[in-house]
């Protein structure tokens, strides 16, 4: 058997031409151009044409099953596509195809009424682009998508997607996480910041004028720019959505893994004072400078935003140091069960993710400052990751994030605390840590700060802005 094989191999070697590099297969889908036309303003109906090129186009698909009820079955050259699970398929693969479909965004908004799916607010509808774009099949990471939206007259369109000329660009794999867009009649402002700009969109129903809201947003965006050294994204869409009869900012969300878009819901009785007290906008903007994590590390992402947001307010003079510790004394104990019972990576629920993550950040910040004689802190780790390109628009692994940070800082404090508090359950004695820092907490969340505690100087360093040269 072996001899026969050797003989055949020798024959093959004699008769073969010199080996050639394997030819790279051209991609099945190279690019698509999506044209979105507003077919009706109210009810809001969109007609989408997706013209794709490649070698073997198979059809269109979607990641979120909730979309299906609002998509009128797509066609190609006037022929209906065959529906198979979450796919609309051509009868046979083609090198070129122009798909057409309609999306009933009005009914999507009426039946779900969620700003991360579709939400009507007065004369506008806010919806992530993932709620009206189907993706080409096969879904390839390298397929480039160009998007144009035809909105006419005073019926406008704005999106957080990356602008290119008079349209937008993205990769096909980003469609299922594509960020917010707005259709309708709204007020817009562009806020120029060091390192980037915010496209501010205000939907109707707000008790406050756009000028007051724009200056609130701009001040907070500048605190973020001070932290990172510049605003962390070249272009960010921020949609302010007035909802309900409340008198405060109610909720906010940054959509990760896509060009940054933030939606903030505010009650229709929100006044200037409530804006001053708000923490939500700052928390969401903070996320833009930190990479996204997939299937891990949510506690780190949310912990950082929860921990640094009030520190930034102290630095800006919007919160006193005493109030900061009052907030930490109220919030951090909520994260302790997650640390003691599960470890942060496996802890269920939001309290562990946000406040457990914030406890981790406090432990890390204190350790880093102690070890460096107050010259380095957790923010140096965050900024080093940001300088290496970490952004909410990209997914990084926790391992690579930690290794960049630790190489920059020359320490293993972050990963040893991660092993201790994220990978396995380990209780944290928060009272003892607070006492060492000179934070005395009495009944009823009465907090007193002492400057004669062993780590009082560390506590003072936590809120001090770093010198500009760092
Ligand atoms: Zn968050």
């Amino acid at each position: 058997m072996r001899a026969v094989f050797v003989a055949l191999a020798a024959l093959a070697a004699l008769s073969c031409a010199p080996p050639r590099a394997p030819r790279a297969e051209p991609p099945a889908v190279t690019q698509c151009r999506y044209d979105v036309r507003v077919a009706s303003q109210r009810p809001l109906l969109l007609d989408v044409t997706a013209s794709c090129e490649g070698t073997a186009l198979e059809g269109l698909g979607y990641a979120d099953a909730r979309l299906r009820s609002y998509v009128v079955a797509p066609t190609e050259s006037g022929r209906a596509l065959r529906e198979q699970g979450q796919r609309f398929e051509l009868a046979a693969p083609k090198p070129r195809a122009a798909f057409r479909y309609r999306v009933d965004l009005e009914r999507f908004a009426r039946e779900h009424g969620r700003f991360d799916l579709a939400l009507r607010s007065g004369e506008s509808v806010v919806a992530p682009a993932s709620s009206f774009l189907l993706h080409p099949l096969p879904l390839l990471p390298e397929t480039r998508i160009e998007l144009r939206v035809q909105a006419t007259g005073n019926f406008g369109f704005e999106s957080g997607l990356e602008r290119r000329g008079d349209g937008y660009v993205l990769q096909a794999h980003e469609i299922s996480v594509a960020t917010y867009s707005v259709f309708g009649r709204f007020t817009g402002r562009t806020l120029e910041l060091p390192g980037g700009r915010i496209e501010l969109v205000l939907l109707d129903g707000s008790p406050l004028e756009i000028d007051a809201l724009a200056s609130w947003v701009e001040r907070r965006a500048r605190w973020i720019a001070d932290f990172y050294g510049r605003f962390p994204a070249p272009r960010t869409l921020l949609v302010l959505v007035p909802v309900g009869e409340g008198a405060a900012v109610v909720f906010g969300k940054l959509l990760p893994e896509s060009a940054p878009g933030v939606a903030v819901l505010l009650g229709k009785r929100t006044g200037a004072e409530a804006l001053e007290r708000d923490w939500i906008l700052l928390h969401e903007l903070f996320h833009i400078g930190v990479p996204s994590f997939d299937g891990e590390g949510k506690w780190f992402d949310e912990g950082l935003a929860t921990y640094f947001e009030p520190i930034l307010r102290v630095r800006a003079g919007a919160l006193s140091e005493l109030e900061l510790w009052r907030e930490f004394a109220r919030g951090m104990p909520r994260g302790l069960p997650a640390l003691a019972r599960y470890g942060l990576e496996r802890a269920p629920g939001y309290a562990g993710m946000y406040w457990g993550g914030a406890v981790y950040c406090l432990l890390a910040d204190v350790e880093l400052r102690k070890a460096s004689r107050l010259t380095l802190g957790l923010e140096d780790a965050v900024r080093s990751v940001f300088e290496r390109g970490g952004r909410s628009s990209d997914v990084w692994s926790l391992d690579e994030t930690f290794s960049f940070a630790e190489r920059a800082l020359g320490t293993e404090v972050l990963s040893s605390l991660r092993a201790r508090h994220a990978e396995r359950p380990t209780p944290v004695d928060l009272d003892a840590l607070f006492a060492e820092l000179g934070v005395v907490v009495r009944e009823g969340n009465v907090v007193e700060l002492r400057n004669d505690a062993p780590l009082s100087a560390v506590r003072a360093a936590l809120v001090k802005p770093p010198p500009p040269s760092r």
Side-chain angles (χ1 to χ4, degrees):
M1 191 69 182
R2 187 167 188 269
V4 173
F5 174 77
V6 169
L8 283 175
L11 187 65
L14 285 172
S15 59
C16 271
R20 259 188 268 163
R23 206 147 30 114
E25 285 287 318
V29 195
T30 327
Q31 55 182 356
C32 299
R33 178 183 152 137
Y34 283 61
D35 286 287
V36 176
R37 195 176 66 83
V38 177
S40 155
Q41 296 182 3
R42 198 154 185 173
L44 180 59
L45 304 174
L46 307 177
D47 280 343
V48 184
T49 305
S51 310
C52 298
E53 287 172 28
T55 54
L57 282 151
E58 293 169 5
L60 295 174
Y62 52 98
D64 188 334
R66 285 171 295 192
L67 255 71
R68 178 60 193 95
S69 316
Y70 312 103
V71 174
V72 180
T75 57
E76 201 277 325
S77 305
R79 253 172 294 201
L81 300 174
R82 187 182 51 201
E83 193 167 354
Q84 193 81 27
Q86 292 183 197
R87 301 163 63 95
F88 296 103
E89 295 174 344
L90 289 163
K94 291 170 84 168
R96 237 169 242 280
F99 303 102
R100 285 176 215 284
Y101 63 92
R102 173 169 281 193
V103 181
D104 188 341
L105 215 49
E106 190 74 47
R107 197 160 57 81
F108 202 171
R110 197 171 56 239
E111 291 178 4
H112 287 275
R114 284 174 47 172
F115 66 100
D116 54 355
L117 288 173
L119 173 74
R120 175 168 282 286
S121 174
E123 292 299 310
S124 304
V125 169
V126 58
S130 57
S131 287
F132 55 88
L133 298 182
L134 302 182
H135 62 71
L137 289 169
L139 181 56
L140 305 172
E142 66 267 33
T143 306
R144 182 188 147 88
I145 307 289
E146 268 181 53
L147 169 69
R148 261 162 229 223
V149 179
Q150 223 182 74
T152 47
N154 59 358
F155 193 85
F157 174 77
E158 189 54 274
S159 176
L161 294 172
E162 191 184 329
R163 277 214 85 120
R164 191 68 52 86
D166 54 357
Y168 303 86
V169 288
L170 65 162
Q171 302 296 115
H173 68 97
E174 291 175 83
I175 285 182
S176 62
V177 288
T179 199
Y180 299 110
S181 297
V182 188
F183 294 88
R185 293 186 179 83
F186 48 80
T187 320
R189 273 295 151 80
T190 299
L191 309 179
E192 297 290 349
L193 301 157
R197 67 165 55 146
I198 289 180
E199 301 291 355
L200 178 65
V201 164
L202 173 63
L203 307 191
D204 45 24
S206 163
L208 291 160
E209 294 296 323
I210 182 101
D211 286 341
L213 291 161
S215 77
W216 165 62
V217 171
E218 186 170 345
R219 277 215 301 145
R220 271 145 186 81
R222 286 185 183 277
W223 301 346
I224 294 291
D226 287 345
F227 181 87
Y228 288 108
R230 60 188 181 278
F231 194 73
R235 184 174 178 275
T236 300
L237 175 74
L238 173 58
V239 189
L240 299 178
V241 190
V243 287
E245 294 309 312
V249 178
V250 192
F251 193 69
K253 188 170 180 180
L254 164 83
L255 285 185
E257 303 178 35
S258 173
V262 179
V264 170
L265 309 186
L266 64 165
K268 287 181 182 166
R269 292 189 301 113
T270 305
E273 261 176 55
L275 292 186
E276 285 314 303
R277 283 195 307 274
D278 167 63
W279 58 270
I280 292 175
L281 173 62
L282 197 57
H283 175 107
E284 299 307 328
L285 296 178
F286 187 89
H287 278 306
I288 299 172
V290 177
S292 293
F293 304 105
D294 192 8
E296 59 166 358
K298 296 285 182 222
W299 58 272
F300 186 59
D301 197 5
E302 292 303 344
L304 286 173
T306 305
Y307 177 71
F308 279 113
E309 168 275 313
I311 290 180
L312 264 56
R313 280 189 288 151
V314 174
R315 288 182 184 173
L319 193 73
S320 71
E321 196 192 348
L322 190 68
E323 287 167 316
L324 168 85
W325 288 102
R326 221 180 271 149
E327 284 194 14
F328 281 171
R330 201 175 17 237
M332 285 185 177
R334 299 174 56 204
L336 296 179
L339 289 150
R341 286 185 212 149
Y342 307 97
L344 294 170
E345 202 60 79
R346 275 170 281 279
Y350 288 105
M353 193 192 288
Y354 286 73
W355 284 111
V359 171
Y360 169 91
C361 290
L362 175 63
L363 289 168
D365 210 356
V366 168
E367 282 310 309
L368 286 167
R369 286 175 197 273
K370 270 164 56 182
S372 67
R373 294 173 191 268
L374 307 185
T375 59
L376 289 173
L378 182 59
E379 63 192 90
D380 296 285
V382 177
R383 268 200 301 267
S384 67
V385 170
F386 172 71
E387 289 303 335
R388 293 299 296 256
R391 303 287 186 278
S392 67
S393 48
D394 297 313
V395 177
W396 282 25
S397 75
L398 213 48
D399 281 347
E400 69 183 324
T401 305
F402 275 54
S403 89
F404 278 141
E406 295 198 322
R407 233 176 296 146
L409 267 56
T411 161
E412 287 176 5
V413 165
L414 296 179
S415 44
S416 70
L417 284 170
R418 176 186 166 198
R420 196 172 147 80
H421 296 293
E423 305 304 335
R424 60 175 193 265
T426 310
V428 171
D429 189 345
L430 194 61
D431 292 341
L433 177 63
F434 273 30
E436 271 196 287
L437 290 166
V439 180
V440 184
V441 185
R442 298 188 209 289
E443 206 151 312
N445 205 44
V446 175
V447 173
E448 189 191 313
L449 301 182
R450 300 180 59 115
N451 290 329
D452 57 355
L455 297 180
S456 290
V458 168
R459 189 196 74 231
L462 299 179
V463 294
K464 226 172 97 182
S469 57
R470 217 159 84 188

